[in-house]
């Protein structure tokens, strides 16, 4: 796929393409591929892209696979293991001593036989501001972002004080506390939602939102999109087989649950037909609006059409804003796209580090929890039948105190700019820092010809690299980063926060460069075989030709491919439409 995109980008940039062919090629790509193409074009047209040493005349280097390690490479891995053991000995001891009785699936994440000695988890001692400290006394610039929770660094004053103050008053779990009401009121104000409730985790918020949608519509089926993640409830876990059937995802997960789920391709307009066809069975469509696994997928036009269709068919549209909520801005991905969902699920940032989740949305749906807005001071009673949702920690005052403090902090920092329109809004500054950092790293990777790219959205970023299934390069990179003072996480999603200063950003960039240079020096990236390149190019050209043939004449306008009026210089128009899409994305915080 990337070779197809590369070749289209190359042709557009060099003007070496028939104009209508350029449009057809662009049109033949999926939304995801279009976004990658757009970001490539943008990069090449940007100053950083222009300044990067031209690498186009030479192919990208190839990462080595675990199975093909030379003696020297194996020796380096062994040296690294020994170095790492000296670097973090107490963490290693913890990993060894507690392996037997302590259960945690993360221990096995990305585990490689040859690197096992490196892959134990660090035991953290404390977090302060932008830093994490481990029990061996190492200090790291933290980009784990606590899986997306951390927007203000470790121990932000207002949040820490709120938790400590609440703890000093005790934390009664059963009744209401003042924090509950302030947090709930602020939550609805900042997200522009009618009603909100608290849950014990993000997983639970999603699970209950689906239950509420089923209660409200009286239908069973749920639509999700591949590439998304919605937590670990059986309700929302299914994969799509090549024929488009939903399959249970793993051991202990029942096919009966998967049978209730329709999994569609994210951003593909054909999916809307499937939804329309099954409308009278579908309770809700659950969307991760910016997929954390694919932050470049931003199918705005698709989502607008989806919104129209779901309103028309009275299907509940749920945005899972677990990562985007308060990371993109107070209005979340709904604000970014200008689309209002019926319900949205949250957790992470507004939890301030405490375990929690939220569902916010239209009274039409939320009323199925408590029967609606009946009153205690008249003779009204709950109007609706209710579904079941409750939990010991749903109103835990510690988390509500943290939530209230986070929301107050966000409100204070945004001032009168809750829509994040002003360039000096702290969200926009943080997003720009992320973008500049990513682009500098990408320019460096191009110059070094390593197949590594930083994809980013708002202050989330992730490394995308071509590594074969037995590859070790990505894993080694993460460990080199750690030894160069930057801590990432196995989730693969990394985040900047307000405590990252320009010095921290420089430290991150230098650690990335140093780690990649080490991998090159130690022979973990090799020149690709020219025959392989030729074969890949040929296959890509054939695929592009097939796609162009299949696409036929350019389709009528969609947002990704707006109409280009006849008589225009189509190539310029293509570049312009691509760039205007980009400007929209940039204005929205990406
Ligand atoms: N939805 C999304 C989009 C998420 O990213 C996550 C967690 N990463 C969840 C749901 C589940 O949240 P939690 O881990 O709090 O259960």
């Amino acid at each position: 796929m990337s070779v197809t995109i590369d070749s289209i980008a190359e042709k557009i940039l060099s003007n070496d393409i028939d104009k209508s062919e350029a449009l057809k090629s662009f049109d033949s790509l999926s939304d995801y591929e279009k976004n990658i193409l757009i970001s490539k074009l943008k990069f090449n047209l940007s100053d950083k892209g222009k300044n990067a040493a031209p690498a186009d005349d030479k192919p990208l280097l190839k990462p080595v696979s675990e199975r093909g390690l030379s003696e020297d490479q194996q020796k380096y891995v062994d040296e690294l293991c020994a170095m790492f053991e000296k670097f973090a000995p107490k963490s290693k001891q913890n990993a060894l001593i507690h392996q037997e009785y302590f259960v945690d699936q993360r221990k096995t994440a990305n585990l490689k036989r040859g690197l096992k000695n490196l892959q134990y988890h660090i035991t953290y001692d404390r977090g302060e501001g932008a830093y994490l400290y481990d029990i061996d006394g190492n200090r790291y610039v933290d980009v784990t972002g606590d899986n997306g929770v951390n927007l203000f660094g470790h121990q932000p004053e207002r949040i820490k004080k709120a938790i400590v103050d609440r703890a000093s008053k005790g934390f009664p779990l059963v009744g209401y506390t003042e924090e509950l009401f302030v947090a709930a009121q602020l939550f609805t104000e900042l997200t522009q939602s009618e009603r909100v409730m608290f849950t014990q985790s993000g997983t639970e918020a999603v699970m209950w939102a689906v239950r509420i949608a089923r209660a409200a519509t009286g239908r069973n089926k749920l639509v999700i999109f591949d590439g998304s993640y919605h937590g670990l409830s059986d309700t929302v876990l299914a994969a799509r087989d090549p024929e488009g059937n939903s399959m249970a995802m793993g051991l202990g997960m029942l096919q009966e649950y998967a049978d209730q789920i329709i999994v569609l391709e994210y951003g593909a307009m054909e999916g809307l037909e499937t939804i329309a066809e099954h409308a009278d069975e579908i309770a809700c469509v659950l969307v991760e609006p910016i997929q954390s696994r694919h932050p470049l997928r931003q199918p705005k036009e698709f989502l607008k059409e989806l919104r129209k269709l779901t309103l028309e068919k009275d299907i509940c549209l749920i945005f899972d804003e677990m990562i985007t909520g308060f990371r993109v801005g107070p209005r979340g991905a709904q604000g970014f796209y200008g689309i209002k969902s019926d319900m949205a699920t949250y957790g992470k940032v507004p939890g301030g580090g405490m375990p929690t989740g939220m569902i916010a949305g239209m009274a039409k749906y939320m009323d199925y929890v408590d029967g609606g807005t009946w009153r205690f001071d008249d003779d009204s009673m709950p109007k609706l039948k209710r579904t079941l949702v409750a939990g010991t920690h749903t109103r835990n005052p510690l988390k509500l105190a943290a939530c209230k403090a986070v929301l107050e902090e966000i409100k204070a920092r945004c001032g009168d700019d809750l829509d994040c329109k002003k360039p000096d809004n702290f969200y926009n500054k943080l997003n720009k820092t992320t973008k500049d950092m990513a682009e500098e790293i990408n320019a460096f990777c191009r110059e070094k010809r390593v197949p590594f790219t930083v994809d980013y959205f708002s202050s989330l970023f992730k490394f995308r690299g071509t590594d074969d299934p037995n590859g070790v390069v990505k894993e080694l990179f993460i460990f080199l980063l750690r030894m160069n003072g930057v801590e990432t996480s196995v989730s693969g999603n990394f985040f900047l926060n307000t405590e990252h200063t320009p010095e921290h950003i420089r430290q991150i960039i230098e650690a990335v460069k140093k780690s990649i240079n080490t991998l090159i020096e130690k022979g973990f990236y090799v020149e690709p075989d020219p025959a392989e390149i030729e074969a890949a190019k040929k296959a890509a050209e054939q695929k592009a030709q097939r796609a162009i043939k299949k696409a036929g004449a350019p389709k009528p306008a969609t947002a990704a491919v707006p109409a280009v009026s006849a008589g225009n210089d189509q190539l310029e128009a293509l570049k312009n439409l691509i760039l205007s899409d980009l400007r929209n994305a940039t204005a929205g915080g990406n």
Side-chain angles (χ1 to χ4, degrees), residues 90-164:
K90 290 185 187 159
S91 287
K92 177 79 182 263
Q93 275 311 301
N94 270 349
L96 293 177
I97 294 168
H98 306 293
Q99 163 66 11
E100 219 162 282
Y101 66 89
F102 170 60
V103 179
D104 180 18
Q105 188 146 68
R106 292 236 148 174
K107 287 191 259 189
T108 60
N110 310 327
L111 200 64
K112 308 261 177 204
R113 185 176 292 280
L115 302 184
K116 206 159 55 99
N117 265 334
L118 281 174
Q119 291 185 290
Y120 55 87
H121 283 267
I122 292 291
T123 310
Y124 298 137
D125 177 39
R126 65 191 194 283
E128 283 169 12
Y131 293 114
L132 272 173
Y133 296 80
D134 71 14
I135 53 168
D136 287 293
N138 298 306
R139 186 179 79 171
Y140 311 93
V141 176
D142 178 15
V143 295
T144 68
D146 295 320
N147 287 343
V149 168
N150 184 335
L151 183 62
F152 299 117
H154 293 284
Q155 304 192 44
E157 209 40 53
R158 191 196 291 256
I159 300 166
K160 183 173 159 183
K161 183 172 179 318
I163 296 170
V164 170

Side-chain angles (χ1 to χ4, degrees), residues 201-204 206 229-231 288 292 320 322-323 348 356:
S201 69
T203 291
E204 201 180 65
V206 173
Y229 176 69
H230 298 291
E288 189 186 1
S292 67
D320 184 351
M322 210 62 62
I323 288 191
K348 309 237 186 225
T356 191

